[in-house]
C-alpha cells in the first residue's frame, strides 16, 4: 500500500505546519522551526561579536562556511527542546546569562559530530531556576493581595428594576 500524502489545504496539516513553523528567519523573513531560529540567532550574534564576515543570504545551506556551526547549534537546540520549554530556551538565550555564550552545540569527535556546550546548559538551568523562583514569589504575593482585597471589599447588591416601571428596555422586551 502506498502512503497517502497530506493534502496541502487540509485543516489538520495547516495547524500542524503553523505550530511547527511559527518563527521567522532573522536573515530572510521566511518561516522556520524553533531550532533553526535559535541556531540562526546564535550565529548572527557570534559573527557580530567577533567582527567576522557577515553570513551569506541563506547560510544554513550546505556548502556555506557557517553551515556546520548552524547544524551543530540546530541539533543541540532540538535535543534541548525535549528537556525545556522552547519559550524558556529562547528567553534564556536572549538574557544576560548568555551574554558571552555563542554556541549551544560544540564540535565533537563522536558519531553524532556534536556535543552540548556545558556552559550553555548550565546557563539555561540557572535561568529556568531563577524564573521559577520569581514566579513562585509573585504567585504568593498575588494570593496575599487577593485575600486582602476580598476582606476589604463590601459587597453591593444590585438594585432590582421593577416590572411596572416604564422604561424603554421593558417596552422593547414586551414586543
Amino acid at each position: 500500500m502506498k502512503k497517502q500524502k497530506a493534502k496541502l489545504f487540509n485543516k489538520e496539516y495547516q495547524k500542524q505546519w503553523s505550530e511547527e513553523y511559527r518563527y521567522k528567519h532573522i536573515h530572510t523573513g521566511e518561516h522556520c522551526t524553533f531550532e533553526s531560529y535559535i541556531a540562526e540567532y546564535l550565529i548572527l550574534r557570534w559573527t557580530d561579536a567577533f567582527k567576522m564576515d557577515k553570513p551569506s543570504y541563506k547560510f544554513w545551506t550546505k556548502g556555506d562556511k557557517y553551515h556546520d556551526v548552524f547544524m551543530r547549534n540546530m541539533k543541540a537546540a532540538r535535543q534541548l527542546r525535549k528537556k525545556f520549554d522552547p519559550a524558556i530556551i529562547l528567553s534564556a538565550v536572549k538574557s544576560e546569562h548568555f551574554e558571552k555564550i555563542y554556541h549551544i552545540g560544540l564540535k565533537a569527535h563522536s558519531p553524532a559530530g556534536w556535543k552540548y556546550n556545558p556552559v550553555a546548559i548550565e546557563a539555561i538551568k540557572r535561568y529556568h531556576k531563577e524564573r521559577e523562583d520569581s514566579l513562585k514569589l509573585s504567585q504568593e504575593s498575588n494570593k496575599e493581595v487577593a485575600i486582602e482585597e476580598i476582606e476589604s471589599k463590601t459587597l453591593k447588591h444590585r438594585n432590582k428594576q421593577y416590572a411596572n416601571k416604564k422604561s424603554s428596555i421593558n417596552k422593547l422586551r414586551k414586543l
Side-chain angles (χ1 to χ4, degrees), residues 134-152:
S134 65
L135 285 175
K136 285 179 184 176
L137 288 174
S138 66
Q139 287 176 352
E140 289 173 3
S141 64
N142 285 344
K143 286 180 183 177
E144 291 172 4
V145 170
I147 290 170
E148 291 173 6
E149 286 179 4
I150 290 171
E151 290 174 355
S152 65

Side-chain angles (χ1 to χ4, degrees), residues 4-172:
Q4 292 182 355
K5 292 184 179 179
K7 295 179 182 176
L8 291 179
F9 298 104
N10 185 357
K11 286 184 181 180
E12 292 173 16
Y13 175 77
Q14 287 177 344
K15 183 178 179 184
Q16 178 186 358
W17 189 91
S18 63
E19 287 174 1
E20 189 172 337
Y21 291 89
R22 69 173 135 218
Y23 298 91
K24 285 194 174 189
H25 279 293
I26 302 165
H27 223 57
T28 62
E30 297 174 352
H31 291 279
C32 66
T33 61
F34 165 76
E35 298 88 5
S36 298
Y37 180 79
I38 291 289
E40 181 181 8
Y41 178 80
L42 290 170
I43 289 174
L44 291 174
R45 210 177 71 179
W46 175 53
T47 55
D48 287 344
F50 291 101
K51 297 181 174 84
M52 301 167 70
D53 294 338
K54 295 287 180 193
S56 61
Y57 179 65
K58 289 188 176 183
F59 61 88
W60 49 85
T61 55
K62 199 166 188 170
D64 196 88
K65 71 180 187 177
Y66 296 115
H67 173 72
D68 293 333
V69 179
F70 177 82
M71 292 305 290
R72 281 193 296 270
N73 281 328
M74 193 172 96
K75 289 175 184 177
R78 184 176 298 137
Q79 294 303 317
L80 273 177
R81 189 176 186 179
K82 294 176 182 176
K83 296 179 181 179
F84 298 102
D85 186 43
I88 290 174
I89 297 170
L90 184 61
S91 53
V93 167
K94 292 185 175 185
S95 71
E96 75 265 355
H97 293 282
F98 258 74
E99 191 174 335
K100 302 285 183 186
I101 303 171
Y102 300 102
H103 300 291
I104 294 178
L106 300 175
K107 189 172 186 174
H109 300 291
S110 65
W114 66 275
K115 64 179 182 177
Y116 287 119
N117 182 354
V119 179
I121 301 301
E122 191 61 35
I124 292 172
K125 286 180 181 176
R126 273 185 313 199
Y127 179 82
H128 182 59
K129 186 177 181 201
E130 283 180 15
R131 188 168 175 183
E132 282 183 342
D133 292 342
S134 65
L135 285 175
K136 285 179 184 176
L137 288 174
S138 66
Q139 287 176 352
E140 289 173 3
S141 64
N142 285 344
K143 286 180 183 177
E144 291 172 4
V145 170
I147 290 170
E148 291 173 6
E149 286 179 4
I150 290 171
E151 290 174 355
S152 65
K153 282 186 180 178
T154 56
L155 299 176
K156 295 181 178 179
H157 294 286
R158 186 176 152 198
N159 294 334
K160 291 183 180 179
Q161 190 175 23
Y162 295 104
N164 297 342
K165 189 175 180 184
K166 293 183 180 179
S167 69
S168 56
I169 295 174
N170 284 337
K171 289 178 185 176
L172 290 173

